[in-house]
Amino acid sequence: MSDGASSRRKRPSSVLSVRSVVGQMFVLQIAVVVLLAVGAVLMLALTTQSLSTRAADNQSLAVAQGFASSPGLARIVKSPHPTAALQPRIDEARKGSGVDFLGVLNRDGIYYALSSRAGRPGTHTATDMTPLLAGRTVREQGVGSLGPQIRAYVPIKEPNGAVVGAVGAGITVEHVSAVVTAQLPAILGTAAGAVVITTGGAAVLSRRLLRQTRGLGPAEITRMYEHNDAVLHSVREGVLIIGGDGQLLLANDEARRLLDLPTDAERRHVTTLGLEPPLAELLISGRRATDEVHLAGDRLLAVNVRPTAPYGGGAGSAVTLRDTTELRALAGRAEAARERLQLLYDAGVRIGTTLDVARTAQELAEVAVPRFADVVTVDLLEPVLRGDEPSEGSTAMRRAAVSGVRQNSPFPPVGELVTLAPGTPTASDVASGQAVLEADLRTADHWQAQHPERARQILDYGVHSLITVPLRARGVVLGLADFWRAETPEAFGEEDRSFAEELAARAAVAIDNARRYTHERTMAVALQRSLLPQGLPQVSALELSHRYLPSQEGVGGDWFDVIPLPGARVALVVGDVVGHGVHAVATMGRLRTAVHNFSALDIAPDELLAHLDELVARIDADEAAEEDGQQITGATCLYAIYDPVSGACTIARAGHFGPALVQPDGTVAFPDTPVSPPLGLGGTLPFETAALRLPEGSRLALFTDGLLEDRNRDLDTSLDLLRQALSHPDHTPEQTCQAVIDALLPERPLDDVVLLIARTRLLNSDQVADWDIPSDPEAVSRVRAGVTRQLETWGLDHLAFTAELIVSELVTNAIRYGAQPIRLRLLYDSSNLICEVADDSNTSPHLRRAKATDEGGRGLFLIAQLARRWGTRYTAHGKIIWAEQALHDEAAEPDTDLADVLLGQWDE
């Protein structure tokens, strides 16, 4: 055996020598571990000493307190012979408590009884008795007859609080140290075990380091590195070493030349070196590769990749590169394949950006021109364009998209009906879902036979090749995509047909998604429109106009309402339910119905919003119980009541935009109306109202947030645009609506929009008549006469008889059951005669059927028969009972058979 081999075999045995780096590391680790172990032992000993001392202190205090609080101790201390009674108890208590001494002292500090190895009764304590006589407990460390001690003294008190003596208990420091000493073996054993384990671990790590260096010394490792480096840089094949984290660890000169790597390429991630994406992806993938061809600039490289881990190296790959530039033709095919893959990727990104069927079809046409075809046409079945499921066997299609490299093409425009002649090979292939390739259209007789004239125009246009691909999704044909070539001289081939099928398949999925969305949106829009007012009511107080525009992204829960109220007043409502879709629409319908029902109660706007808030909270609670809390409703609402007699407008809003007010001169303002939290948040704050006085001819604009919120502008800009659109005093409400929509909304709004414009009117003073009524039954006849004269002035003689009956009954009830002041008011608008009787009583009349023996109870029944509507509304100081008569209602004419009405009350 040679000396070199012998020295190599002996080197591992001397690895732990202090002359080697491994040995020095081993010694350092052992020294650190020993120091840590010694420190840990000292810390544990000190900690145990501290804890034992604290425990001894607490134990002494507890024993002293326990004995001092024993029943009758104060009485025994004050007895003539306390030692005889206390000494046996003291001895017994000390044995069971674990303390080293226990005794009872008098006020002078002399032990009446003492249980100790070195003391006896009569001994004087060295402890200061002053705090004990003051009633305080003493805890101290001192030296007594037993040596250093930890002791506690507790005063003995009579029931009245007087101190008659003290109880002392203590434990010697020697006792405490014995506890610590008992724990030292365990502490030292633990430290020794830690040293042994760490020493063994250090030895194992040192041995492993020895194996990794394979026993080579520094000089041998240096020579091996220089030899390998020379080999790497002399070979004419590129070599790369890639780490498991994707970093380039090594690159020889040839690899740098082939890949045109920067000088600082090493230790950089492969993806930052400017390589072609497919090549960079291969290098970091870690998979095996054998002679895979990849482009690198203008070179075509054969790449081999092998993982290094199976051969003893770390995680990573060894890569070799060969320049195969002579295979330029193969590079062309690879480039074409790469372009096709890139086109498919672009199609996945660009097709289906919206959920609009026609737009998705147009995106398919645009993405394929000019990179694959010179002209692309897309035809869809008519049900697909409407969002419906296509029926089986349907062949009627409409042109949905056209895109070409030249204008004025002979192809049918968008929207034209397109049909395939039945029985032709093309129709049969399409019905079966097969793509049709016509490499040379001049020889395709069956294609020319379908539309001879149009085929001639297409051929004259220069088109020479065609691929027709059915658009199929879920096994259903949605339409056709036609790819035409005119400018490109090469005809379509089989590979092109396969690619067209792949492109069409991706587009068909996007078109079907858009169709299904269109179907759902159409249903939601239909539901939304059916739940919204079909028309605005005719009211004399306001001139109205409105707009409702559903969003393109999904129908929301915006709604509006105009509700006639008693006294010629009108309620204006605008609201918005959070979210989109059928759920938001259904919730909107529930809230709109609730607003109508609450409006029938004729309550103030703030009270109505409070009731609506409770309803939304209940809806949330019910849906949370059914759907595990996944659905939260939430809504905003603005409710306003306008009175044309006074011009007053009372407004309350819950989380909603406030109104815009346009003065008769065109000045636009946004009144400061208090805003309350949105509905359904369960807040405890009351809803607030704002009272506005609107001149005749002013305009009130109510709207939802979709009118102002836009991702391309801020809110202040939107408010300025709204102000400019409203500031035209000569515009009618209808013209104002259109001006606002044109100024603020894009072609495809992203949220629902509701806009309600109301121009105010006031009743003239000669359309209102009122009387103060005294609490005198004889005043009823005078009031009837005054009403008759007023109706004659208004030209309403035909209503006088019925109006007198209504006024007589209401005024009589107010005098009999109401409270002063009592006031009668007649309102005459364009369609109604309204009678109102107000008083300061909160009692409300109720309609009932009187019995045959009753002398009263028929007045409200008569009013209900003669008036079109009647009811009660409450005010801040009382109530108003009102009744409406239609000016042209035949039921209210004087020739009504009132006798039958009256006699009917006695019919059983």
Side-chain angles (χ1 to χ4, degrees):
M1 184 178 297
S2 66
D3 292 340
S6 176
S7 63
R8 182 171 299 178
R9 186 173 64 252
K10 292 179 180 180
R11 187 177 290 109
S13 63
S14 61
V15 66
L16 298 182
S17 172
V18 294
R19 295 182 178 180
S20 66
V21 176
V22 176
Q24 292 173 359
M25 290 178 59
F26 178 77
V27 172
L28 178 61
Q29 289 176 343
I30 297 303
V32 171
V33 170
V34 170
L35 289 176
L36 292 176
V38 171
V41 169
L42 292 177
M43 288 297 296
L44 287 173
L46 293 175
T47 302
T48 304
Q49 177 74 27
S50 175
L51 293 176
S52 299
T53 301
R54 190 180 307 163
D57 183 37
N58 293 336
Q59 184 178 359
S60 300
L61 178 62
V63 171
Q65 287 178 336
F67 197 87
S69 62
S70 59
L73 182 60
R75 178 178 54 78
I76 296 174
V77 171
K78 294 177 62 178
S79 64
H81 302 288
T83 301
L86 290 175
Q87 188 62 39
R89 295 175 60 182
I90 285 292
D91 292 334
E92 182 180 358
R94 186 187 70 81
K95 294 177 182 179
S97 63
V99 296
D100 292 319
F101 81 92
L102 178 64
V104 178
L105 303 86
N106 61 12
R107 291 177 56 86
D108 297 327
I110 299 174
Y111 283 98
Y112 279 158
L114 178 62
S115 177
S116 173
R117 299 194 308 271
R120 61 181 182 276
T123 303
H124 193 283
T125 183
T127 299
D128 184 9
M129 294 296 293
T130 302
L132 290 170
L133 295 179
R136 298 195 299 273
T137 298
V138 174
R139 304 168 71 175
E140 60 182 12
Q141 293 187 20
V143 179
S145 58
L146 297 176
Q149 304 169 351
I150 299 171
R151 56 200 182 195
Y153 293 88
V154 178
I156 302 172
K157 298 181 180 179
E158 291 186 297
N160 60 3
V163 177
V164 298
V167 175
I171 298 176
T172 63
V173 174
E174 179 183 0
H175 190 175
V176 173
S177 300
V179 174
V180 177
T181 303
Q183 297 181 0
L184 280 178
I187 297 174
L188 294 174
T190 302
V195 171
V196 172
I197 293 174
T198 307
T199 302
V204 171
L205 292 176
S206 299
R207 292 289 182 181
R208 183 176 180 183
L209 180 60
L210 176 65
R211 287 195 301 270
Q212 289 180 345
T213 59
R214 300 183 183 276
L216 297 177
E220 293 172 306
I221 293 176
T222 301
R223 286 196 303 272
M224 181 178 292
Y225 172 78
E226 292 173 348
H227 177 74
N228 292 341
D229 187 65
V231 171
L232 283 174
H233 291 289
S234 63
V235 298
R236 303 308 300 167
E237 188 168 273
V239 178
L240 302 173
I241 303 297
I242 310 295
D245 57 356
Q247 287 190 348
L248 177 62
L249 303 180
L250 183 145
N252 68 349
D253 294 342
E254 184 66 8
R256 291 177 178 275
R257 185 185 69 82
L258 294 176
L259 298 178
D260 194 19
L261 296 178
T263 56
D264 60 341
E266 293 182 354
R267 297 301 175 182
R268 287 175 54 181
H269 199 273
V270 171
T271 56
T272 65
L273 300 178
L275 304 179
E276 293 290 334
L279 177 58
E281 182 180 356
L282 172 63
L283 296 181
I284 64 176
S285 66
R287 65 178 177 87
R288 290 175 176 267
T290 302
D291 288 337
E292 283 193 12
V293 178
H294 286 271
L295 282 173
D298 58 349
R299 296 184 178 90
L300 200 62
L301 303 180
V303 183
N304 294 272
V305 182
R306 293 293 184 271
T308 57
Y311 304 99
S317 303
V319 181
T320 61
L321 310 169
R322 294 197 314 275
D323 189 358
T324 56
T325 309
E326 65 276 7
L327 303 177
R328 188 63 61 182
L330 182 60
R333 295 181 58 187
E335 177 65 17
R338 188 186 69 82
E339 291 179 355
R340 292 290 173 87
L341 289 175
Q342 184 64 40
L343 179 55
L344 285 178
Y345 172 79
D346 293 343
V349 173
R350 293 175 54 185
I351 299 176
T353 58
T354 67
L355 290 173
D356 181 82
V357 174
R359 179 57 194 163
T360 304
Q362 186 64 36
E363 289 170 345
L364 167 60
E366 292 174 353
V367 79
V369 174
R371 297 161 66 182
F372 178 66
D374 299 319
V375 180
V376 176
T377 59
V378 181
D379 306 323
L380 298 177
L381 296 171
E382 290 195 283
V384 175
L385 289 170
R386 297 193 302 267
D388 298 332
E389 189 78 19
S391 58
E392 185 176 356
S394 176
T395 59
M397 292 180 288
R398 288 201 178 272
R399 181 60 45 87
V402 178
S403 180
V405 295
R406 287 187 290 167
Q407 301 297 325
N408 302 322
S409 66
F411 298 96
V414 173
E416 184 169 325
L417 185 65
V418 178
T419 57
L420 289 178
T424 61
T426 301
S428 300
D429 291 339
V430 168
S432 63
Q434 300 294 323
V436 178
L437 169 63
E438 298 290 354
D440 188 357
L441 288 178
R442 297 188 179 276
T443 61
D445 296 335
H446 62 275
W447 171 77
Q448 298 183 31
Q450 293 188 60
H451 301 284
E453 181 59 27
R454 181 168 296 166
R456 184 186 60 79
Q457 295 175 356
I458 291 175
L459 292 174
D460 292 343
Y461 185 72
V463 176
H464 58 80
S465 188
L466 164 67
I467 298 177
T468 299
V469 187
L471 298 171
R472 293 172 59 88
R474 298 176 295 107
V476 179
V477 175
L478 307 177
L480 297 176
D482 291 332
F483 301 91
W484 314 79
R485 276 190 176 172
E487 304 295 325
T488 305
E490 296 84 6
F492 285 121
E494 289 297 330
E495 291 184 359
D496 296 317
R497 175 160 60 179
S498 299
F499 176 78
E501 289 177 337
E502 177 67 21
L503 185 61
R506 299 192 180 196
V509 173
I511 291 173
D512 188 55
N513 289 337
R515 180 199 64 79
R516 297 170 68 179
Y517 169 78
T518 302
H519 179 71
E520 294 179 3
R521 182 178 180 277
T522 301
M523 293 178 58
V525 170
L527 177 61
Q528 173 90 331
R529 293 193 181 278
S530 67
L531 293 176
L532 289 173
Q534 302 305 307
L536 297 180
Q538 295 295 324
V539 293
S540 58
L542 297 168
E543 182 183 356
L544 300 164
S545 184
H546 75 284
R547 290 290 188 278
Y548 167 70
L549 300 175
S551 72
Q552 297 298 320
E553 300 298 329
V555 178
D558 293 20
W559 90 93
F560 69 96
D561 234 321
V562 178
I563 306 173
L565 297 177
R569 298 170 303 136
V570 181
L572 303 176
V573 189
V574 174
D576 184 5
V577 175
V578 175
H580 292 83
V582 176
H583 177 270
V585 174
T587 304
M588 177 274 291
R590 298 172 68 178
L591 297 185
R592 179 171 178 255
T593 303
V595 171
H596 268 271
N597 293 335
F598 293 143
S599 297
L601 301 176
D602 206 354
I603 56 180
D606 55 338
E607 295 181 28
L608 185 141
L609 290 184
H611 288 301
L612 204 61
D613 180 61
E614 294 177 1
L615 173 63
V616 174
R618 287 198 300 272
I619 292 175
D620 281 345
D622 294 342
E623 293 184 350
E626 294 177 1
E627 304 179 15
D628 297 328
Q630 296 298 317
Q631 188 70 46
I632 297 178
T633 302
T636 65
C637 184
L638 183 147
Y639 187 86
I641 296 178
Y642 174 69
D643 186 353
V645 177
S646 62
C649 182
T650 306
I651 300 174
R653 59 190 179 110
H656 203 86
F657 277 107
L661 177 61
V662 186
Q663 298 292 341
D665 61 356
T667 303
V668 181
F670 297 95
D672 186 13
T673 54
V675 58
S676 301
L679 302 174
L681 295 185
T684 57
L685 296 177
F687 291 91
E688 300 182 59
T689 60
L692 307 178
R693 186 72 62 176
L694 306 183
E696 184 171 14
S698 58
R699 285 170 291 165
L700 201 63
L702 310 180
F703 47 84
T704 56
D705 56 359
L707 183 69
L708 298 180
E709 294 180 352
D710 191 293
R711 65 182 62 174
N712 297 320
R713 62 172 182 260
D714 57 27
L715 183 59
D716 291 338
T717 302
S718 297
L719 291 174
D720 290 340
L721 293 175
L722 177 60
R723 183 181 288 107
Q724 295 172 13
L726 292 173
S727 60
H728 297 281
D730 55 333
H731 280 187
T732 65
E734 177 63 25
Q735 292 172 332
T736 301
C737 272
Q738 192 58 48
V740 170
I741 296 299
D742 293 342
L744 279 93
L745 290 189
E747 181 181 354
R748 301 170 61 87
L750 299 179
D751 194 7
D752 283 16
V753 176
V754 163
L755 174 63
L756 183 61
I757 304 294
R759 173 180 283 172
T760 61
R761 297 170 179 161
L762 291 177
L763 293 181
N764 296 328
S765 58
D766 57 1
Q767 293 180 272
V768 181
D770 52 13
W771 294 265
D772 291 325
I773 310 298
S775 298
D776 182 4
E778 295 183 357
V780 177
S781 60
R782 296 194 298 271
V783 172
R784 285 200 302 266
V787 169
T788 300
R789 289 192 298 271
Q790 185 63 53
L791 293 181
E792 290 176 355
T793 302
W794 286 341
L796 302 177
D797 307 66
H798 61 288
L799 299 178
F801 180 74
T802 305
E804 286 182 14
L805 289 176
I806 294 174
V807 169
S808 178
E809 178 60 31
L810 295 182
V811 171
T812 301
N813 283 342
I815 293 174
R816 181 177 299 176
Y817 305 110
Q820 284 288 341
I822 302 173
R823 190 171 185 82
L824 168 65
R825 185 172 75 165
L826 291 182
L827 302 177
Y828 167 38
D829 65 8
S830 60
S831 58
N832 297 301
L833 175 64
I834 304 168
C835 173
E836 297 180 343
V837 177
D839 68 84
D840 273 11
S841 171
N842 288 324
T843 60
S844 177
H846 297 282
L847 180 66
R848 66 184 180 90
R849 180 176 291 277
K851 298 180 180 178
T853 57
D854 290 345
E855 295 183 0
R858 298 175 179 84
L860 288 180
F861 180 81
L862 287 176
I863 292 176
Q865 297 295 320
L866 298 175
R868 184 172 69 175
R869 293 193 307 164
W870 76 279
T872 304
R873 73 174 184 268
Y874 293 94
T875 64
H877 304 289
K879 68 176 183 299
I880 297 175
I881 304 177
W882 55 271
E884 286 185 5
Q885 291 176 262
L887 299 184
H888 305 290
D889 189 352
E890 294 182 357
E893 294 295 331
D895 60 352
T896 302
D897 195 350
L898 298 179
D900 291 341
V901 173
L902 292 172
L903 292 175
Q905 283 285 285
W906 279 268
D907 292 340
E908 296 294 340

mmCIF file with all atom_site columns, all heavy atoms in Angstrom, residues 431-443:
data_model
loop_
_atom_site.group_PDB
_atom_site.id
_atom_site.type_symbol
_atom_site.label_atom_id
_atom_site.label_alt_id
_atom_site.label_comp_id
_atom_site.label_asym_id
_atom_site.label_entity_id
_atom_site.label_seq_id
_atom_site.pdbx_PDB_ins_code
_atom_site.Cartn_x
_atom_site.Cartn_y
_atom_site.Cartn_z
_atom_site.occupancy
_atom_site.B_iso_or_equiv
_atom_site.pdbx_formal_charge
_atom_site.auth_seq_id
_atom_site.auth_comp_id
_atom_site.auth_asym_id
_atom_site.auth_atom_id
_atom_site.pdbx_PDB_model_num
ATOM 1  N N   . ALA A 1 431 ? -73.539 20.477 -37.958 1.00 0.00 ? 431 ALA A N   1
ATOM 2  C CA  . ALA A 1 431 ? -74.499 19.863 -37.048 1.00 0.00 ? 431 ALA A CA  1
ATOM 3  C C   . ALA A 1 431 ? -73.841 18.793 -36.183 1.00 0.00 ? 431 ALA A C   1
ATOM 4  O O   . ALA A 1 431 ? -74.221 18.581 -35.031 1.00 0.00 ? 431 ALA A O   1
ATOM 5  C CB  . ALA A 1 431 ? -75.658 19.271 -37.837 1.00 0.00 ? 431 ALA A CB  1
ATOM 6  N N   . SER A 1 432 ? -72.849 18.115 -36.734 1.00 0.00 ? 432 SER A N   1
ATOM 7  C CA  . SER A 1 432 ? -72.158 17.070 -35.972 1.00 0.00 ? 432 SER A CA  1
ATOM 8  C C   . SER A 1 432 ? -71.027 17.631 -35.123 1.00 0.00 ? 432 SER A C   1
ATOM 9  O O   . SER A 1 432 ? -70.364 16.884 -34.399 1.00 0.00 ? 432 SER A O   1
ATOM 10 C CB  . SER A 1 432 ? -71.599 16.011 -36.921 1.00 0.00 ? 432 SER A CB  1
ATOM 11 O OG  . SER A 1 432 ? -70.620 16.575 -37.793 1.00 0.00 ? 432 SER A OG  1
ATOM 12 N N   . GLY A 1 433 ? -70.756 18.949 -35.219 1.00 0.00 ? 433 GLY A N   1
ATOM 13 C CA  . GLY A 1 433 ? -69.710 19.569 -34.422 1.00 0.00 ? 433 GLY A CA  1
ATOM 14 C C   . GLY A 1 433 ? -68.341 19.489 -35.040 1.00 0.00 ? 433 GLY A C   1
ATOM 15 O O   . GLY A 1 433 ? -67.347 19.752 -34.342 1.00 0.00 ? 433 GLY A O   1
ATOM 16 N N   . GLN A 1 434 ? -68.227 19.144 -36.331 1.00 0.00 ? 434 GLN A N   1
ATOM 17 C CA  . GLN A 1 434 ? -66.930 19.011 -36.974 1.00 0.00 ? 434 GLN A CA  1
ATOM 18 C C   . GLN A 1 434 ? -66.554 20.298 -37.696 1.00 0.00 ? 434 GLN A C   1
ATOM 19 O O   . GLN A 1 434 ? -67.394 20.939 -38.323 1.00 0.00 ? 434 GLN A O   1
ATOM 20 C CB  . GLN A 1 434 ? -66.951 17.861 -37.995 1.00 0.00 ? 434 GLN A CB  1
ATOM 21 C CG  . GLN A 1 434 ? -67.284 16.513 -37.392 1.00 0.00 ? 434 GLN A CG  1
ATOM 22 C CD  . GLN A 1 434 ? -66.206 16.047 -36.435 1.00 0.00 ? 434 GLN A CD  1
ATOM 23 O OE1 . GLN A 1 434 ? -65.022 16.261 -36.667 1.00 0.00 ? 434 GLN A OE1 1
ATOM 24 N NE2 . GLN A 1 434 ? -66.625 15.397 -35.356 1.00 0.00 ? 434 GLN A NE2 1
ATOM 25 N N   . ALA A 1 435 ? -65.281 20.655 -37.615 1.00 0.00 ? 435 ALA A N   1
ATOM 26 C CA  . ALA A 1 435 ? -64.791 21.807 -38.358 1.00 0.00 ? 435 ALA A CA  1
ATOM 27 C C   . ALA A 1 435 ? -64.637 21.438 -39.832 1.00 0.00 ? 435 ALA A C   1
ATOM 28 O O   . ALA A 1 435 ? -64.296 20.304 -40.180 1.00 0.00 ? 435 ALA A O   1
ATOM 29 C CB  . ALA A 1 435 ? -63.451 22.273 -37.800 1.00 0.00 ? 435 ALA A CB  1
ATOM 30 N N   . VAL A 1 436 ? -64.896 22.392 -40.704 1.00 0.00 ? 436 VAL A N   1
ATOM 31 C CA  . VAL A 1 436 ? -64.830 22.176 -42.151 1.00 0.00 ? 436 VAL A CA  1
ATOM 32 C C   . VAL A 1 436 ? -63.674 23.001 -42.713 1.00 0.00 ? 436 VAL A C   1
ATOM 33 O O   . VAL A 1 436 ? -63.605 24.217 -42.487 1.00 0.00 ? 436 VAL A O   1
ATOM 34 C CB  . VAL A 1 436 ? -66.160 22.576 -42.823 1.00 0.00 ? 436 VAL A CB  1
ATOM 35 C CG1 . VAL A 1 436 ? -66.058 22.403 -44.335 1.00 0.00 ? 436 VAL A CG1 1
ATOM 36 C CG2 . VAL A 1 436 ? -67.303 21.756 -42.258 1.00 0.00 ? 436 VAL A CG2 1
ATOM 37 N N   . LEU A 1 437 ? -62.770 22.327 -43.450 1.00 0.00 ? 437 LEU A N   1
ATOM 38 C CA  . LEU A 1 437 ? -61.624 22.985 -44.072 1.00 0.00 ? 437 LEU A CA  1
ATOM 39 C C   . LEU A 1 437 ? -61.836 23.040 -45.570 1.00 0.00 ? 437 LEU A C   1
ATOM 40 O O   . LEU A 1 437 ? -62.061 22.024 -46.211 1.00 0.00 ? 437 LEU A O   1
ATOM 41 C CB  . LEU A 1 437 ? -60.336 22.225 -43.748 1.00 0.00 ? 437 LEU A CB  1
ATOM 42 C CG  . LEU A 1 437 ? -59.078 22.635 -44.537 1.00 0.00 ? 437 LEU A CG  1
ATOM 43 C CD1 . LEU A 1 437 ? -58.705 24.095 -44.247 1.00 0.00 ? 437 LEU A CD1 1
ATOM 44 C CD2 . LEU A 1 437 ? -57.924 21.708 -44.227 1.00 0.00 ? 437 LEU A CD2 1
ATOM 45 N N   . GLU A 1 438 ? -61.808 24.253 -46.108 1.00 0.00 ? 438 GLU A N   1
ATOM 46 C CA  . GLU A 1 438 ? -61.858 24.464 -47.550 1.00 0.00 ? 438 GLU A CA  1
ATOM 47 C C   . GLU A 1 438 ? -60.531 25.118 -47.945 1.00 0.00 ? 438 GLU A C   1
ATOM 48 O O   . GLU A 1 438 ? -60.375 26.337 -47.892 1.00 0.00 ? 438 GLU A O   1
ATOM 49 C CB  . GLU A 1 438 ? -63.040 25.348 -47.945 1.00 0.00 ? 438 GLU A CB  1
ATOM 50 C CG  . GLU A 1 438 ? -64.397 24.775 -47.604 1.00 0.00 ? 438 GLU A CG  1
ATOM 51 C CD  . GLU A 1 438 ? -64.764 23.576 -48.469 1.00 0.00 ? 438 GLU A CD  1
ATOM 52 O OE1 . GLU A 1 438 ? -63.997 23.268 -49.420 1.00 0.00 ? 438 GLU A OE1 1
ATOM 53 O OE2 . GLU A 1 438 ? -65.800 22.943 -48.203 1.00 0.00 ? 438 GLU A OE2 1
ATOM 54 N N   . ALA A 1 439 ? -59.571 24.281 -48.337 1.00 0.00 ? 439 ALA A N   1
ATOM 55 C CA  . ALA A 1 439 ? -58.248 24.811 -48.652 1.00 0.00 ? 439 ALA A CA  1
ATOM 56 C C   . ALA A 1 439 ? -58.271 25.706 -49.882 1.00 0.00 ? 439 ALA A C   1
ATOM 57 O O   . ALA A 1 439 ? -57.550 26.702 -49.958 1.00 0.00 ? 439 ALA A O   1
ATOM 58 C CB  . ALA A 1 439 ? -57.260 23.669 -48.848 1.00 0.00 ? 439 ALA A CB  1
ATOM 59 N N   . ASP A 1 440 ? -59.112 25.372 -50.881 1.00 0.00 ? 440 ASP A N   1
ATOM 60 C CA  . ASP A 1 440 ? -59.211 26.159 -52.119 1.00 0.00 ? 440 ASP A CA  1
ATOM 61 C C   . ASP A 1 440 ? -60.686 26.392 -52.401 1.00 0.00 ? 440 ASP A C   1
ATOM 62 O O   . ASP A 1 440 ? -61.416 25.507 -52.840 1.00 0.00 ? 440 ASP A O   1
ATOM 63 C CB  . ASP A 1 440 ? -58.554 25.431 -53.280 1.00 0.00 ? 440 ASP A CB  1
ATOM 64 C CG  . ASP A 1 440 ? -58.472 26.302 -54.534 1.00 0.00 ? 440 ASP A CG  1
ATOM 65 O OD1 . ASP A 1 440 ? -58.978 27.454 -54.489 1.00 0.00 ? 440 ASP A OD1 1
ATOM 66 O OD2 . ASP A 1 440 ? -57.927 25.834 -55.540 1.00 0.00 ? 440 ASP A OD2 1
ATOM 67 N N   . LEU A 1 441 ? -61.162 27.617 -52.130 1.00 0.00 ? 441 LEU A N   1
ATOM 68 C CA  . LEU A 1 441 ? -62.585 27.908 -52.284 1.00 0.00 ? 441 LEU A CA  1
ATOM 69 C C   . LEU A 1 441 ? -63.013 27.894 -53.749 1.00 0.00 ? 441 LEU A C   1
ATOM 70 O O   . LEU A 1 441 ? -64.194 27.680 -54.045 1.00 0.00 ? 441 LEU A O   1
ATOM 71 C CB  . LEU A 1 441 ? -62.894 29.277 -51.660 1.00 0.00 ? 441 LEU A CB  1
ATOM 72 C CG  . LEU A 1 441 ? -62.873 29.335 -50.123 1.00 0.00 ? 441 LEU A CG  1
ATOM 73 C CD1 . LEU A 1 441 ? -63.152 30.757 -49.650 1.00 0.00 ? 441 LEU A CD1 1
ATOM 74 C CD2 . LEU A 1 441 ? -63.889 28.370 -49.536 1.00 0.00 ? 441 LEU A CD2 1
ATOM 75 N N   . ARG A 1 442 ? -62.087 28.075 -54.686 1.00 0.00 ? 442 ARG A N   1
ATOM 76 C CA  . ARG A 1 442 ? -62.481 28.098 -56.101 1.00 0.00 ? 442 ARG A CA  1
ATOM 77 C C   . ARG A 1 442 ? -62.911 26.725 -56.590 1.00 0.00 ? 442 ARG A C   1
ATOM 78 O O   . ARG A 1 442 ? -63.632 26.618 -57.591 1.00 0.00 ? 442 ARG A O   1
ATOM 79 C CB  . ARG A 1 442 ? -61.322 28.638 -56.948 1.00 0.00 ? 442 ARG A CB  1
ATOM 80 C CG  . ARG A 1 442 ? -60.980 30.084 -56.601 1.00 0.00 ? 442 ARG A CG  1
ATOM 81 C CD  . ARG A 1 442 ? -59.976 30.686 -57.569 1.00 0.00 ? 442 ARG A CD  1
ATOM 82 N NE  . ARG A 1 442 ? -59.685 32.071 -57.234 1.00 0.00 ? 442 ARG A NE  1
ATOM 83 C CZ  . ARG A 1 442 ? -60.437 33.105 -57.627 1.00 0.00 ? 442 ARG A CZ  1
ATOM 84 N NH1 . ARG A 1 442 ? -61.497 32.885 -58.401 1.00 0.00 ? 442 ARG A NH1 1
ATOM 85 N NH2 . ARG A 1 442 ? -60.113 34.348 -57.270 1.00 0.00 ? 442 ARG A NH2 1
ATOM 86 N N   . THR A 1 443 ? -62.479 25.713 -55.876 1.00 0.00 ? 443 THR A N   1
ATOM 87 C CA  . THR A 1 443 ? -62.877 24.351 -56.261 1.00 0.00 ? 443 THR A CA  1
ATOM 88 C C   . THR A 1 443 ? -63.924 23.762 -55.316 1.00 0.00 ? 443 THR A C   1
ATOM 89 O O   . THR A 1 443 ? -64.298 22.598 -55.479 1.00 0.00 ? 443 THR A O   1
ATOM 90 C CB  . THR A 1 443 ? -61.645 23.437 -56.269 1.00 0.00 ? 443 THR A CB  1
ATOM 91 O OG1 . THR A 1 443 ? -61.082 23.383 -54.952 1.00 0.00 ? 443 THR A OG1 1
ATOM 92 C CG2 . THR A 1 443 ? -60.603 23.951 -57.242 1.00 0.00 ? 443 THR A CG2 1
#
